[in-house]
Amino acid sequence: MNKGSLFIVSAPSGCGKDTVLTELFKIAPQIKFSISCTCRPERSPADREKYHLISREQFLHMLDNNELLEHNEYNGNFYGTPRKPVEDWTNSGSDVILEIDINGAANVKRVMPEAVSIFIMPPSFSALEQRLRGRGTESEEEIQNRLKIAAEELSHANEFDYICINDSISQCVDDILSVIKAQSFTNNKMKKFIQEVEK
């Protein structure tokens, strides 16, 4: 059995990453989703779908015992990616998606250089601005701040292995699935198969 792959998915705010991944998992439920852990307080029941909520002491224990692939501190709270589920899934042949920010993606690539990074981009910066304004949930100041952060994040796009453009959700999902499928046929992934055939 070939080992599965870890796919890192990042995108600036407003690019529709959550929507794209929701649709992707509907089509490909066999792909595993790596859930991050955090010691921040629960804000809504939806938090439990995206995070393992643990105590600060538990988080520090995991950190001390090298149980995290990467970690970050934001606004006084820790966030991190548990190592064991990712390794267990990939060792059993499953592909895993890790949804994470730019800094976290770079940290994971340092620890697992074989991980495949995918950056979701808007078709244009103006389209991104239109999407943020179309939400109608944020003030002008908040929108400007998000656009500033997005511009900084977009400047890191060339650090990723693949770029997928979210002009159409269905097309973006298909593009990401194409990357995942292609990865399973790389020479590195087929080594065991090659060795078996050569016997």
Side-chain angles (χ1 to χ4, degrees):
M1 178 188 295
N2 287 329
K3 190 175 179 181
S5 297
L6 174 62
F7 296 89
I8 304 164
V9 177
S10 298
S13 176
C15 279
K17 177 180 74 228
D18 289 344
T19 304
V20 167
L21 290 180
T22 296
E23 293 304 310
L24 184 148
F25 287 119
K26 287 179 184 176
I27 295 170
Q30 75 279 7
I31 299 173
K32 308 298 184 183
F33 179 63
S34 175
I35 300 178
S36 298
C37 57
T38 180
C39 60
R40 76 162 169 77
E42 182 177 348
R43 294 172 185 163
S44 72
D47 277 356
R48 296 193 174 272
E49 296 177 13
K50 295 193 73 173
Y51 298 108
H52 292 300
L53 302 172
I54 62 175
S55 69
R56 189 178 184 87
E57 291 71 25
Q58 287 175 303
F59 193 100
L60 293 174
H61 176 79
M62 293 178 72
L63 190 57
D64 289 341
N65 288 277
N66 196 33
E67 295 176 22
L68 297 172
L69 278 177
E70 60 81 35
H71 72 282
N72 200 359
E73 185 176 2
Y74 179 76
N75 201 24
N77 295 307
F78 288 115
Y79 297 80
T81 302
R83 181 188 298 272
K84 190 175 187 305
V86 171
E87 292 180 345
D88 287 349
W89 281 328
T90 55
N91 286 335
S92 67
S94 294
D95 291 327
V96 182
I97 285 180
L98 171 58
E99 176 193 346
I100 201 166
D101 66 15
I102 304 292
N103 293 330
N107 290 337
V108 172
K109 284 288 274 188
R110 277 192 285 271
V111 177
M112 295 181 69
E114 70 276 15
V116 179
S117 58
I118 301 170
F119 192 72
I120 299 176
M121 288 188 67
S124 66
F125 198 79
S126 61
L128 175 62
E129 182 174 359
Q130 287 172 10
R131 288 176 185 175
L132 287 173
R133 292 188 182 282
R135 292 175 174 177
T137 57
E138 296 165 313
S139 67
E140 181 62 26
E141 182 180 354
E142 289 171 326
I143 290 172
Q144 291 302 322
N145 186 52
R146 283 191 178 275
L147 289 172
K148 182 179 178 181
I149 294 170
E152 166 60 23
E153 290 174 329
L154 286 165
S155 71
H156 292 274
N158 61 1
E159 299 168 11
F160 285 73
D161 298 316
Y162 292 90
I163 304 296
C164 292
I165 300 168
N166 186 16
D167 194 11
S168 155
I169 291 171
S170 60
Q171 184 60 55
C172 189
V173 169
D174 287 346
D175 292 344
I176 294 173
L177 287 173
S178 294
V179 170
I180 293 172
K181 185 174 182 180
Q183 185 65 17
S184 67
F185 295 111
T186 60
N187 187 285
N188 188 49
K189 288 290 177 185
M190 298 298 284
K191 279 181 180 176
K192 285 185 180 179
F193 175 76
I194 294 169
Q195 290 167 356
E196 289 172 1
V197 173
E198 287 178 338
K199 288 180 181 178

